[in-house]
Amino acid sequence: MIPAVKLSPAAFSVTNQRTKSALVPSVSILNTNSFVSCSFRPLYLTRIDDPQTSELKPRRQLLDFQCAASAADDKESKAEVVPASSEAAQKLKISIYFATWWALNVIFNIYNKKVLNAFPYPWLTSTLSLACGSAMMLFSWATRLVEPPKTDLDFWKVLFPVAVAHTIGHVAATVSMSKVAVSFTHIIKSAEPAFSVLVSRFILGESFPMPVYLSLLPIIGGCGLAAATELNFNMIGFMGAMISNLAFVFRNIFSKRGMKGKSVSGMNYYACLSIMSLVILAPFAIAMEGPQMWAAGWQRALADVGPNVLWWIGAQSVFYHLYNQVSYMSLDQISPLTFSIGNTMKRISVIVSSIIIFRTPVRPVNALGAAIAIFGTFLYSQAKQ
């Protein structure tokens, strides 16, 4: 930083020592009695024009200079600096969200598959998951552990199509996992970006750049390869995963269109979604399976597994709500692109953990198809950026 110096008019002088065309300035000795003041501002020297000295002559003339400081220096000194500690804290918070989301999802899928192996009634299992989450949030609102949302009739009208799509997707995925391995269901569900692009393109009329369309090739090819080489392939399980993909795409579309301008947190939004989905699903669960089938299945489950089946049902219901709640809460903190990448990594963790825990036989070509499909979802998330 160069200090600014305020000098008296006679502090500088110019002397013509050679010719009229060559003026060589000389500086006289600064008078020590002159007043000098300093400030930490840049130095700018400007000449003050004098009518009597507008034309330089070959004799000694006095030139006056004025010192000025830039106001930009004051702006620079007031610039805000974001502490590095706050940025690190935000990254840590997002990492905790992701780790919690993945862990809860893995635990849910393990217990859900155990329940379906012992008690193969996906409509009731899906209903119990929604009922448990709804009860947890109603209790939290009643005890003021969580501030209840301020909603009106218009909010519930807008939420209804979202809840319908969510209900269909949830039941279809549960039906799929009751028929095939958890890993296979999630491999097929990794094709959800392809459904999203196709629905947006041909139904909503949206267009995408060419890299987005190209990223669908490995997704579709990988899922097809995995399905063709699946050892325990089941058409109901395959179609359940495909219907779940389509339903969740419409759920996301309805949610984006209907919830613009609504001031409801991610936690409360999912709670309201669970309550409405429960109201929609319960009558269909009774019609599709019914109390008589549930009673007979419950007796067989107790005879085969014992009281542990009750613990498994409770665990899968609780963890289903928790992992979805954390995923909706994370949307308040991260961008959609980061969420999409996190969702891809979540599927990898679920596929790998389920293969290890349930000892699912996997052919090398089947594993290759899964890897290609998941890699395609990663390319899709990058192309959408």
Side-chain angles (χ1 to χ4, degrees), residues 138-151:
L138 289 174
F139 176 79
S140 300
W141 291 338
T143 57
R144 295 293 175 175
L145 293 175
V146 177
E147 187 67 24
K150 297 179 180 179
T151 61

Side-chain angles (χ1 to χ4, degrees), residues 133-256:
S134 301
M136 291 169 60
M137 289 308 301
L138 289 174
F139 176 79
S140 300
W141 291 338
T143 57
R144 295 293 175 175
L145 293 175
V146 177
E147 187 67 24
K150 297 179 180 179
T151 61
D152 51 16
L153 183 59
D154 291 337
F155 172 84
W156 294 101
K157 287 181 179 178
V158 169
L159 188 65
F160 180 74
V162 183
V164 171
H166 178 74
T167 304
I168 295 173
H170 175 42
V171 173
T174 309
V175 170
S176 175
M177 282 191 283
S178 69
K179 299 297 183 180
V180 295
V182 176
S183 57
F184 180 72
T185 297
H186 279 273
I187 291 171
I188 301 303
K189 283 178 67 64
S190 65
E192 185 176 326
F195 283 86
S196 178
V197 172
L198 295 176
V199 169
S200 300
R201 178 68 183 88
F202 294 105
I203 296 181
L204 302 180
E206 298 180 6
S207 59
F208 300 91
M210 184 57 64
V212 173
Y213 294 111
L214 294 177
S215 68
L216 301 183
L217 297 179
I219 295 176
I220 298 173
C223 289
L225 182 61
T229 57
E230 175 65 24
L231 292 174
N232 300 314
F233 180 83
N234 181 280
M235 183 55 69
I236 296 178
F238 175 76
M239 292 304 299
M242 297 289 281
I243 294 172
S244 177
N245 283 335
L246 187 62
F248 284 142
V249 166
F250 279 103
R251 180 194 66 178
N252 296 336
I253 292 173
F254 293 146
S255 181
K256 290 178 182 178

Side-chain angles (χ1 to χ4, degrees), residues 272-353:
C272 295
L273 183 62
S274 296
I275 294 172
M276 180 163 281
S277 295
L278 174 63
V279 174
I280 296 172
L281 178 59
F284 288 95
I286 296 173
M288 292 297 296
E289 294 173 349
Q292 292 183 352
M293 294 180 63
W294 296 336
W298 180 252
Q299 294 299 324
R300 288 193 299 269
L302 288 176
D304 296 339
V305 180
N308 286 335
V309 68
L310 184 62
W311 156 250
W312 294 348
I313 292 175
Q316 72 92 23
S317 301
V318 171
F319 284 112
Y320 172 79
H321 176 78
L322 291 179
Y323 102 76
N324 277 287
Q325 188 180 77
V326 172
S327 69
Y328 273 83
M329 291 171 62
S330 65
L331 278 173
D332 293 338
Q333 305 293 329
I334 60 179
S335 65
L337 174 64
T338 305
F339 183 85
S340 178
I341 296 174
N343 196 41
T344 302
M345 300 303 296
K346 178 205 72 175
R347 297 209 185 280
I348 296 176
S349 62
V350 172
I351 292 171
V352 173
S353 61

Side-chain angles (χ1 to χ4, degrees), residues 1-232:
M1 188 68 69
I2 304 175
V5 183
K6 182 178 180 181
L7 304 177
S8 62
F12 293 95
S13 65
V14 179
T15 305
N16 185 2
Q17 294 181 354
R18 294 187 180 180
T19 64
K20 294 180 181 181
S21 60
L23 294 177
V24 180
S26 64
V27 181
S28 63
I29 300 175
L30 182 65
N31 187 0
T32 58
N33 295 328
S34 301
F35 175 78
V36 179
S37 62
C38 298
S39 65
F40 289 94
R41 295 183 177 181
L43 177 64
Y44 294 90
L45 300 179
T46 59
R47 173 185 170 187
I48 301 178
D49 293 332
D50 188 349
Q52 298 179 355
T53 59
S54 59
E55 297 182 359
L56 295 178
K57 298 179 181 181
R59 60 184 178 82
R60 178 176 296 181
Q61 293 180 349
L62 298 179
L63 296 179
D64 292 339
F65 293 88
Q66 180 180 12
C67 297
S70 172
D73 187 62
D74 289 341
K75 295 180 180 179
E76 293 176 358
S77 63
K78 297 178 181 179
E80 295 182 359
V81 179
V82 178
S85 58
S86 62
E87 184 178 354
Q90 181 66 15
K91 290 182 178 180
L92 178 61
K93 185 178 181 179
I94 294 174
S95 300
I96 293 174
Y97 269 122
F98 273 168
T100 306
W101 177 23
W102 297 343
L104 292 173
N105 190 265
V106 169
I107 296 172
F108 158 72
N109 279 276
I110 291 172
Y111 279 111
N112 189 48
K113 184 59 177 177
K114 286 187 174 184
V115 170
L116 293 172
N117 287 339
F119 186 72
Y121 296 95
W123 288 82
L124 177 60
T125 303
S126 302
T127 305
L128 293 176
S129 300
L130 295 173
C132 180
S134 301
M136 291 169 60
M137 289 308 301
L138 289 174
F139 176 79
S140 300
W141 291 338
T143 57
R144 295 293 175 175
L145 293 175
V146 177
E147 187 67 24
K150 297 179 180 179
T151 61
D152 51 16
L153 183 59
D154 291 337
F155 172 84
W156 294 101
K157 287 181 179 178
V158 169
L159 188 65
F160 180 74
V162 183
V164 171
H166 178 74
T167 304
I168 295 173
H170 175 42
V171 173
T174 309
V175 170
S176 175
M177 282 191 283
S178 69
K179 299 297 183 180
V180 295
V182 176
S183 57
F184 180 72
T185 297
H186 279 273
I187 291 171
I188 301 303
K189 283 178 67 64
S190 65
E192 185 176 326
F195 283 86
S196 178
V197 172
L198 295 176
V199 169
S200 300
R201 178 68 183 88
F202 294 105
I203 296 181
L204 302 180
E206 298 180 6
S207 59
F208 300 91
M210 184 57 64
V212 173
Y213 294 111
L214 294 177
S215 68
L216 301 183
L217 297 179
I219 295 176
I220 298 173
C223 289
L225 182 61
T229 57
E230 175 65 24
L231 292 174
N232 300 314

